[in-house]
Structure formats: C-alpha cells, structure tokens
Amino acid sequence: MKTYDNQNIFAKILRGEIPCDKVFESEFTLAFKDINPAKKVHIVVIPKGSYVDVNHFTEKATDKEIVDFFKSLNLISNQVGVADSGYRAITNLGKDGGQEVPHFHMHILGGEHVTLDIS
Ligand code: AMP
C-alpha cells in the first residue's frame, strides 16, 4: 500500500500553491515545462489524481484517467513539436529508479538527439 505525500512539489502545483509553466491541461492530466530541462524540450506530464508512481497509477487509477494520460502524451508531443522528430518518454520509479518527486510523472525529452544513458 503506497502512501501519497500531499506536500510533494507536484501536489502543490496542482493545488495552485506554486506556479508552473503549463503547456497542456485536460480533465485528468496536466503538463508543464521541467524547471531544470535536460534537453531543449523537456515536459513533465502528470495525472491530476494522487498517485505515487506508475505502478500505483496503473493499479488504482480509473480507466478514464489512464486513457486520458496516454492520449495526452500524444497531444502534447504534437503540441510541442517533437512528435515527428521523435522523443523519449520515461518515468522513474522509487529509490533505485531515481524518482525525486513522489507524484507519478512522465518526462517528454526531445528537440535534440537524446542519447541512451542507462547508468
Ligand atoms: P524525477 O527524478 O523523475 O522525480 O523527476 C523530477 C523532475 O521534476 C526533475 O526533472 C525536476 O527538474 C522537475 N521539477 C522539480 N520541481 C519542479 C517544478 N517546480 N516545476 C517543474 N519541474 C520541476
């Protein structure tokens, strides 16, 4: 059973307590520019619901939330202009996965070549 920390930074963004550079919003999904971009295009995509990581999300979220999230990835990648040139969509999970913010998110990385770093 995963406990969601509602003081994490993305929860604060969702509550409007801190700002974000929003690029997309749907009923169940929000996307904004990463504050510390690793590539020319670096977007963080999050569900609006309180899910710790991708496993928690796929276990507990409704089908509507899950469909909305993955359709949003498609829409966002087109909106920010990386759908044709290509991009990497990744998520980090837990300690060994290097997850820093305990609210499920996917990174969209592109706008330039993304090398494969599996360190
Ligand atoms: P992860 O290591 O997968 O948990 O990634 C967390 C990401 O959130 C990092 O790429 C951070 O740069 C990004 N980040 C942290 N705080 C903010 C913020 N206030 N607005 C936008 N991105 C953020």
Side-chain angles (χ1 to χ4, degrees), residues 9-10 13 18-21 32-37 42 44 91-92 97-103 105 107:
I9 199 98
F10 295 167
I13 286 175
I18 62 168
C20 72
D21 195 347
F32 45 87
K33 291 185 181 171
D34 195 289
I35 204 166
N36 185 21
H42 189 169
V44 177
T91 189
N92 300 318
Q99 183 177 6
E100 290 170 7
V101 179
H103 179 111
H105 53 282
H107 301 255

mmCIF file of all heavy atoms in Angstrom, residues 9-10 13 18-21 32-37 42 44 91-92 97-103 105 107, ligand 1:
data_model
loop_
_atom_site.group_PDB
_atom_site.id
_atom_site.type_symbol
_atom_site.label_atom_id
_atom_site.label_comp_id
_atom_site.label_asym_id
_atom_site.label_seq_id
_atom_site.Cartn_x
_atom_site.Cartn_y
_atom_site.Cartn_z
ATOM 1 N N ILE A 9 6.067 18.473 -4.457
ATOM 2 C CA ILE A 9 6.035 19.708 -5.258
ATOM 3 C C ILE A 9 4.959 19.685 -6.342
ATOM 4 O O ILE A 9 4.338 20.730 -6.633
ATOM 5 C CB ILE A 9 7.448 19.974 -5.846
ATOM 6 C CG1 ILE A 9 7.626 21.423 -6.270
ATOM 7 C CG2 ILE A 9 7.795 19.060 -6.959
ATOM 8 C CD1 ILE A 9 8.324 22.256 -5.276
ATOM 9 N N PHE A 10 4.690 18.521 -6.915
ATOM 10 C CA PHE A 10 3.676 18.474 -7.976
ATOM 11 C C PHE A 10 2.262 18.587 -7.387
ATOM 12 O O PHE A 10 1.367 19.144 -8.034
ATOM 13 C CB PHE A 10 3.825 17.212 -8.828
ATOM 14 C CG PHE A 10 5.118 17.157 -9.623
ATOM 15 C CD1 PHE A 10 5.523 15.975 -10.233
ATOM 16 C CD2 PHE A 10 5.924 18.282 -9.768
ATOM 17 C CE1 PHE A 10 6.704 15.916 -10.971
ATOM 18 C CE2 PHE A 10 7.110 18.233 -10.495
ATOM 19 C CZ PHE A 10 7.500 17.047 -11.089
ATOM 20 N N ILE A 13 1.787 22.204 -7.073
ATOM 21 C CA ILE A 13 1.465 22.795 -8.381
ATOM 22 C C ILE A 13 -0.005 22.550 -8.709
ATOM 23 O O ILE A 13 -0.728 23.467 -9.127
ATOM 24 C CB ILE A 13 2.394 22.207 -9.479
ATOM 25 C CG1 ILE A 13 3.800 22.800 -9.329
ATOM 26 C CG2 ILE A 13 1.825 22.472 -10.874
ATOM 27 C CD1 ILE A 13 4.837 22.212 -10.268
ATOM 28 N N ILE A 18 2.076 26.713 -5.935
ATOM 29 C CA ILE A 18 3.268 27.225 -6.600
ATOM 30 C C ILE A 18 3.004 27.209 -8.104
ATOM 31 O O ILE A 18 2.214 26.388 -8.588
ATOM 32 C CB ILE A 18 4.554 26.440 -6.237
ATOM 33 C CG1 ILE A 18 4.450 24.985 -6.669
ATOM 34 C CG2 ILE A 18 4.881 26.535 -4.765
ATOM 35 C CD1 ILE A 18 5.783 24.284 -6.600
ATOM 36 N N PRO A 19 3.645 28.120 -8.833
ATOM 37 C CA PRO A 19 3.351 28.223 -10.265
ATOM 38 C C PRO A 19 4.047 27.142 -11.089
ATOM 39 O O PRO A 19 4.994 26.496 -10.619
ATOM 40 C CB PRO A 19 3.915 29.600 -10.622
ATOM 41 C CG PRO A 19 4.998 29.837 -9.633
ATOM 42 C CD PRO A 19 4.613 29.126 -8.365
ATOM 43 N N CYS A 20 3.573 26.967 -12.298
ATOM 44 C CA CYS A 20 4.273 26.123 -13.264
ATOM 45 C C CYS A 20 4.107 26.766 -14.629
ATOM 46 O O CYS A 20 3.230 27.609 -14.828
ATOM 47 C CB CYS A 20 3.722 24.693 -13.254
ATOM 48 S SG CYS A 20 2.082 24.548 -14.004
ATOM 49 N N ASP A 21 4.970 26.363 -15.550
ATOM 50 C CA ASP A 21 4.893 26.855 -16.920
ATOM 51 C C ASP A 21 4.049 25.853 -17.713
ATOM 52 O O ASP A 21 4.574 24.943 -18.364
ATOM 53 C CB ASP A 21 6.316 27.002 -17.486
ATOM 54 C CG ASP A 21 6.353 27.839 -18.742
ATOM 55 O OD1 ASP A 21 5.285 28.102 -19.315
ATOM 56 O OD2 ASP A 21 7.468 28.230 -19.140
ATOM 57 N N PHE A 32 3.637 20.507 -17.887
ATOM 58 C CA PHE A 32 4.334 21.787 -17.751
ATOM 59 C C PHE A 32 5.810 21.588 -18.075
ATOM 60 O O PHE A 32 6.311 20.445 -18.099
ATOM 61 C CB PHE A 32 4.159 22.359 -16.332
ATOM 62 C CG PHE A 32 4.354 21.369 -15.214
ATOM 63 C CD1 PHE A 32 5.606 21.120 -14.683
ATOM 64 C CD2 PHE A 32 3.262 20.653 -14.713
ATOM 65 C CE1 PHE A 32 5.784 20.203 -13.661
ATOM 66 C CE2 PHE A 32 3.429 19.718 -13.682
ATOM 67 C CZ PHE A 32 4.685 19.495 -13.159
ATOM 68 N N LYS A 33 6.521 22.702 -18.313
ATOM 69 C CA LYS A 33 7.946 22.620 -18.631
ATOM 70 C C LYS A 33 8.736 22.238 -17.380
ATOM 71 O O LYS A 33 8.468 22.766 -16.294
ATOM 72 C CB LYS A 33 8.442 23.953 -19.169
ATOM 73 C CG LYS A 33 7.874 24.270 -20.543
ATOM 74 C CD LYS A 33 8.463 25.541 -21.108
ATOM 75 C CE LYS A 33 7.843 25.834 -22.457
ATOM 76 N NZ LYS A 33 8.210 27.147 -22.985
ATOM 77 N N ASP A 34 9.707 21.346 -17.553
ATOM 78 C CA ASP A 34 10.577 20.979 -16.440
ATOM 79 C C ASP A 34 11.400 22.202 -16.034
ATOM 80 O O ASP A 34 11.920 22.934 -16.883
ATOM 81 C CB ASP A 34 11.499 19.823 -16.835
ATOM 82 C CG ASP A 34 12.139 19.180 -15.624
ATOM 83 O OD1 ASP A 34 13.025 19.819 -14.999
ATOM 84 O OD2 ASP A 34 11.763 18.040 -15.280
ATOM 85 N N ILE A 35 11.516 22.418 -14.746
ATOM 86 C CA ILE A 35 12.208 23.597 -14.229
ATOM 87 C C ILE A 35 13.720 23.530 -14.485
ATOM 88 O O ILE A 35 14.401 24.556 -14.502
ATOM 89 C CB ILE A 35 11.909 23.755 -12.716
ATOM 90 C CG1 ILE A 35 12.085 25.200 -12.276
ATOM 91 C CG2 ILE A 35 12.727 22.798 -11.871
ATOM 92 C CD1 ILE A 35 11.503 25.501 -10.905
ATOM 93 N N ASN A 36 14.215 22.339 -14.709
ATOM 94 C CA ASN A 36 15.647 22.134 -14.931
ATOM 95 C C ASN A 36 15.819 21.254 -16.172
ATOM 96 O O ASN A 36 16.182 20.082 -16.068
ATOM 97 C CB ASN A 36 16.268 21.476 -13.692
ATOM 98 C CG ASN A 36 17.760 21.343 -13.789
ATOM 99 O OD1 ASN A 36 18.415 22.058 -14.563
ATOM 100 N ND2 ASN A 36 18.325 20.418 -13.038
ATOM 101 N N PRO A 37 15.541 21.824 -17.364
ATOM 102 C CA PRO A 37 15.441 20.975 -18.560
ATOM 103 C C PRO A 37 16.739 20.257 -18.911
ATOM 104 O O PRO A 37 17.807 20.856 -18.954
ATOM 105 C CB PRO A 37 15.034 21.963 -19.666
ATOM 106 C CG PRO A 37 15.374 23.321 -19.151
ATOM 107 C CD PRO A 37 15.301 23.241 -17.656
ATOM 108 N N HIS A 42 11.713 19.623 -22.701
ATOM 109 C CA HIS A 42 11.615 18.753 -21.520
ATOM 110 C C HIS A 42 10.312 19.099 -20.799
ATOM 111 O O HIS A 42 10.215 20.127 -20.116
ATOM 112 C CB HIS A 42 12.818 18.944 -20.593
ATOM 113 C CG HIS A 42 12.879 17.942 -19.479
ATOM 114 N ND1 HIS A 42 13.985 17.791 -18.655
ATOM 115 C CD2 HIS A 42 11.968 17.028 -19.027
ATOM 116 C CE1 HIS A 42 13.746 16.836 -17.776
ATOM 117 N NE2 HIS A 42 12.532 16.368 -17.965
ATOM 118 N N VAL A 44 7.102 17.777 -18.299
ATOM 119 C CA VAL A 44 6.666 16.841 -17.261
ATOM 120 C C VAL A 44 5.149 16.678 -17.395
ATOM 121 O O VAL A 44 4.425 17.669 -17.433
ATOM 122 C CB VAL A 44 7.010 17.381 -15.854
ATOM 123 C CG1 VAL A 44 6.475 16.434 -14.783
ATOM 124 C CG2 VAL A 44 8.513 17.577 -15.699
ATOM 125 N N THR A 91 9.676 7.315 -17.285
ATOM 126 C CA THR A 91 9.242 7.551 -15.916
ATOM 127 C C THR A 91 10.218 6.857 -14.975
ATOM 128 O O THR A 91 10.754 5.792 -15.291
ATOM 129 C CB THR A 91 7.801 7.042 -15.688
ATOM 130 O OG1 THR A 91 7.359 7.490 -14.406
ATOM 131 C CG2 THR A 91 7.677 5.532 -15.781
ATOM 132 N N ASN A 92 10.492 7.496 -13.863
ATOM 133 C CA ASN A 92 11.360 6.927 -12.843
ATOM 134 C C ASN A 92 10.489 6.455 -11.688
ATOM 135 O O ASN A 92 9.498 7.104 -11.346
ATOM 136 C CB ASN A 92 12.357 7.984 -12.347
ATOM 137 C CG ASN A 92 13.228 8.512 -13.469
ATOM 138 O OD1 ASN A 92 13.686 7.748 -14.315
ATOM 139 N ND2 ASN A 92 13.454 9.810 -13.505
ATOM 140 N N GLY A 97 15.087 3.626 -9.092
ATOM 141 C CA GLY A 97 14.732 4.262 -10.359
ATOM 142 C C GLY A 97 15.087 5.732 -10.408
ATOM 143 O O GLY A 97 14.911 6.375 -11.438
ATOM 144 N N GLY A 98 15.536 6.276 -9.273
ATOM 145 C CA GLY A 98 15.953 7.677 -9.242
ATOM 146 C C GLY A 98 14.793 8.666 -9.227
ATOM 147 O O GLY A 98 14.951 9.818 -9.631
ATOM 148 N N GLN A 99 13.635 8.236 -8.724
ATOM 149 C CA GLN A 99 12.478 9.144 -8.665
ATOM 150 C C GLN A 99 12.688 10.168 -7.544
ATOM 151 O O GLN A 99 12.920 9.804 -6.393
ATOM 152 C CB GLN A 99 11.199 8.346 -8.415
ATOM 153 C CG GLN A 99 9.945 9.212 -8.407
ATOM 154 C CD GLN A 99 8.668 8.390 -8.219
ATOM 155 O OE1 GLN A 99 8.728 7.176 -7.988
ATOM 156 N NE2 GLN A 99 7.524 9.046 -8.308
ATOM 157 N N GLU A 100 12.601 11.449 -7.918
ATOM 158 C CA GLU A 100 12.781 12.519 -6.924
ATOM 159 C C GLU A 100 11.446 13.025 -6.394
ATOM 160 O O GLU A 100 11.331 13.336 -5.211
ATOM 161 C CB GLU A 100 13.554 13.684 -7.548
ATOM 162 C CG GLU A 100 15.010 13.355 -7.833
ATOM 163 C CD GLU A 100 15.693 14.426 -8.675
ATOM 164 O OE1 GLU A 100 15.082 15.485 -8.917
ATOM 165 O OE2 GLU A 100 16.830 14.179 -9.087
ATOM 166 N N VAL A 101 10.486 13.168 -7.268
ATOM 167 C CA VAL A 101 9.185 13.713 -6.858
ATOM 168 C C VAL A 101 8.171 12.562 -6.787
ATOM 169 O O VAL A 101 7.902 11.909 -7.807
ATOM 170 C CB VAL A 101 8.697 14.795 -7.847
ATOM 171 C CG1 VAL A 101 7.342 15.338 -7.414
ATOM 172 C CG2 VAL A 101 9.723 15.919 -7.967
ATOM 173 N N PRO A 102 7.602 12.312 -5.591
ATOM 174 C CA PRO A 102 6.739 11.139 -5.426
ATOM 175 C C PRO A 102 5.290 11.370 -5.855
ATOM 176 O O PRO A 102 4.335 11.102 -5.109
ATOM 177 C CB PRO A 102 6.847 10.839 -3.925
ATOM 178 C CG PRO A 102 7.062 12.180 -3.305
ATOM 179 C CD PRO A 102 7.882 12.974 -4.296
ATOM 180 N N HIS A 103 5.155 11.923 -7.052
ATOM 181 C CA HIS A 103 3.845 12.003 -7.729
ATOM 182 C C HIS A 103 4.125 11.503 -9.145
ATOM 183 O O HIS A 103 5.001 12.068 -9.835
ATOM 184 C CB HIS A 103 3.337 13.457 -7.738
ATOM 185 C CG HIS A 103 2.007 13.626 -8.429
ATOM 186 N ND1 HIS A 103 0.850 13.954 -7.739
ATOM 187 C CD2 HIS A 103 1.653 13.502 -9.734
ATOM 188 C CE1 HIS A 103 -0.164 14.027 -8.600
ATOM 189 N NE2 HIS A 103 0.300 13.756 -9.820
ATOM 190 N N HIS A 105 4.865 10.814 -12.764
ATOM 191 C CA HIS A 105 5.044 11.725 -13.890
ATOM 192 C C HIS A 105 5.844 11.027 -14.977
ATOM 193 O O HIS A 105 6.644 10.141 -14.711
ATOM 194 C CB HIS A 105 5.764 13.016 -13.469
ATOM 195 C CG HIS A 105 7.055 12.793 -12.750
ATOM 196 N ND1 HIS A 105 7.114 12.436 -11.419
ATOM 197 C CD2 HIS A 105 8.346 12.875 -13.164
ATOM 198 C CE1 HIS A 105 8.374 12.322 -11.049
ATOM 199 N NE2 HIS A 105 9.148 12.566 -12.098
ATOM 200 N N HIS A 107 8.417 12.049 -18.247
ATOM 201 C CA HIS A 107 9.210 13.095 -18.879
ATOM 202 C C HIS A 107 9.092 12.930 -20.391
ATOM 203 O O HIS A 107 9.254 11.817 -20.902
ATOM 204 C CB HIS A 107 10.695 12.952 -18.528
ATOM 205 C CG HIS A 107 11.002 13.022 -17.066
ATOM 206 N ND1 HIS A 107 11.562 14.125 -16.466
ATOM 207 C CD2 HIS A 107 10.857 12.107 -16.068
ATOM 208 C CE1 HIS A 107 11.750 13.903 -15.178
ATOM 209 N NE2 HIS A 107 11.331 12.676 -14.910
HETATM 210 P P1 AMP B 1 12.145 12.564 -11.212
HETATM 211 O O1 AMP B 1 13.581 12.416 -10.879
HETATM 212 O O2 AMP B 1 11.705 11.629 -12.306
HETATM 213 O O3 AMP B 1 11.265 12.510 -9.987
HETATM 214 O O4 AMP B 1 11.999 13.994 -11.868
HETATM 215 C C1 AMP B 1 11.524 15.123 -11.216
HETATM 216 C C2 AMP B 1 11.601 16.261 -12.176
HETATM 217 O O5 AMP B 1 10.818 17.330 -11.695
HETATM 218 C C3 AMP B 1 13.022 16.817 -12.380
HETATM 219 O O6 AMP B 1 13.361 16.745 -13.769
HETATM 220 C C4 AMP B 1 12.918 18.268 -11.891
HETATM 221 O O7 AMP B 1 13.710 19.171 -12.629
HETATM 222 C C5 AMP B 1 11.436 18.540 -12.054
HETATM 223 N N1 AMP B 1 10.902 19.586 -11.185
HETATM 224 C C6 AMP B 1 11.072 19.703 -9.851
HETATM 225 N N2 AMP B 1 10.407 20.778 -9.382
HETATM 226 C C7 AMP B 1 9.771 21.328 -10.442
HETATM 227 C C8 AMP B 1 8.914 22.443 -10.622
HETATM 228 N N3 AMP B 1 8.573 23.242 -9.584
HETATM 229 N N4 AMP B 1 8.446 22.720 -11.854
HETATM 230 C C9 AMP B 1 8.816 21.944 -12.912
HETATM 231 N N5 AMP B 1 9.599 20.856 -12.807
HETATM 232 C C10 AMP B 1 10.072 20.551 -11.587
#
